[in-house]
Amino acid sequence: MTFKNNNVIVRKESLLDSSSKLEHLHTFRNMPSSYGCTTQTKSDDISMNQIWDICENTGLVQLRKIFPLELVYKFPHNYAFGNIWKNHDLELSNFIEEMSPKTAFEIGAGSGRLGKLYLSKNTANHWTALEPNHDYDEVVMPNFVHLREWFDSTYVIDKHYDAIIHSHVLEHSYDPISFLKTIHDQIDNDTLHIFSIPNLFHWVQNKFTNALHFEHTVFLTEELVDNILKTIGFEILKKHYHDELPCIFYVTKKSEPKKVTYSKSIYQENKKVFLDYVAGQLDDVKKLNTKISKFDGEIFLFGGHIWTQFLISNGLNMSKIKCILDNSPMKQGKRLYGTSLKVKSPKILKGRERVAVIVMVAQYSKEIKDDIYNNINNKVIFWD
């Protein structure tokens, strides 16, 4: 059902420049509020148009209307499943270790894997993990503390930490400027601010459907993030580019705010890459529908997540799709929110002779296809 609640947040101004005009770029119709999997009835699902605008002065692309947080994160889904996320967390842990913090405070810790990795090699250190989501099993380790709370502008960091850390959290913030200012205003001058964010320009440029949506509501390119940090008062000490996901690791420290300027080229480049991204999504659906109409075997759709919802919302022919496949046991047996399809293990492909699997899951595609081909069924035809 379409959401008609007064709690919808409407951005009438640019997050970076309240005096700038917002230009409409594109609207994706009837997108589900959550990217999780659920056991609730489909009639209870909620959707809304995704309306994307661009700030003419700064080039910031942002979502106009936003759901309340309790709807967007009603059904957990970010289980960081698979080797790509494991590799990311290991590399980020090593990156943090280079800075040698004895005490760390992580915002949005998820399952707590990053802290667990860090303490496994630094057993005398302390890690505090702030995570409101109760769907994860708690890490049981000496010197590891869970706090089940949300981080917002009213949150008080009540003690000194050597490092404030967040991994793939900033892009989820409805107001990344306020998020960073809250950290800046509370930390000491010698506290490091270490974080990882997706390289969203690369994601959008390569048509990754998980780049922008009701969770990633701001197109935070590296150039814009650098400018935001300087404006708030963070000095960038170090960057590292993690290629597999891909994403960017930052080390910053508190400094004096600096005035920055935004060139017209940022607006022009971000507008072009976003509109190319939209055209790519629509073209992918057209090509897939042609293949679906001509195929006389069984067809499956991989991904109990945003990728599948985007394909369906953009007009994918669902008449021949058997079900959704996903490797996460926490999704299997449930229904993907916003769709009528149940999620099953890829193991059901074993022994099937004439079968095609749509695998349009961005940076995870190769890992998933290799696993199916090598471990389940080497006769599968992949469409990507």
Side-chain angles (χ1 to χ4, degrees), residues 64-114:
R64 186 184 303 176
K65 293 183 178 180
I66 306 169
F67 283 113
L69 287 170
E70 60 268 21
L71 282 179
V72 176
Y73 296 99
K74 184 176 181 180
F75 305 105
H77 60 79
N78 187 19
Y79 300 109
F81 198 82
N83 289 327
I84 288 178
W85 273 110
K86 289 178 182 177
N87 294 340
H88 167 276
D89 287 354
L90 180 60
E91 192 166 324
L92 179 57
S93 175
N94 293 336
F95 180 76
I96 295 168
E97 192 172 4
E98 292 175 13
M99 303 297 113
S100 304
K102 303 296 183 190
T103 58
F105 179 83
E106 184 185 5
I107 301 167
S111 65
R113 181 165 64 193
L114 182 61

Side-chain angles (χ1 to χ4, degrees), residues 16 54 58-62 170-171 176 180 195 197-205 211-212 216-229 236 239 241 247-248 250 262-263 265-274:
L16 295 183
I54 187 169
T58 66
L60 180 70
V61 177
Q62 60 185 49
L170 182 63
E171 69 274 15
L180 292 172
F195 64 97
I197 57 169
N199 188 339
L200 284 182
F201 189 88
H202 182 280
W203 287 26
V204 172
Q205 192 175 42
L212 298 170
H216 297 179
T217 66
V218 182
F219 186 16
L220 290 175
T221 65
E222 180 181 1
E223 187 170 10
L224 289 174
V225 171
D226 289 358
N227 280 343
I228 292 169
L229 288 168
I236 300 170
K239 283 185 190 179
Y241 297 90
C247 58
I248 309 168
Y250 281 80
Y262 295 88
S263 69
S265 63
I266 300 176
Y267 160 80
Q268 294 167 341
E269 188 172 36
N270 287 355
K271 179 177 179 178
K272 181 182 185 304
V273 76
F274 181 86

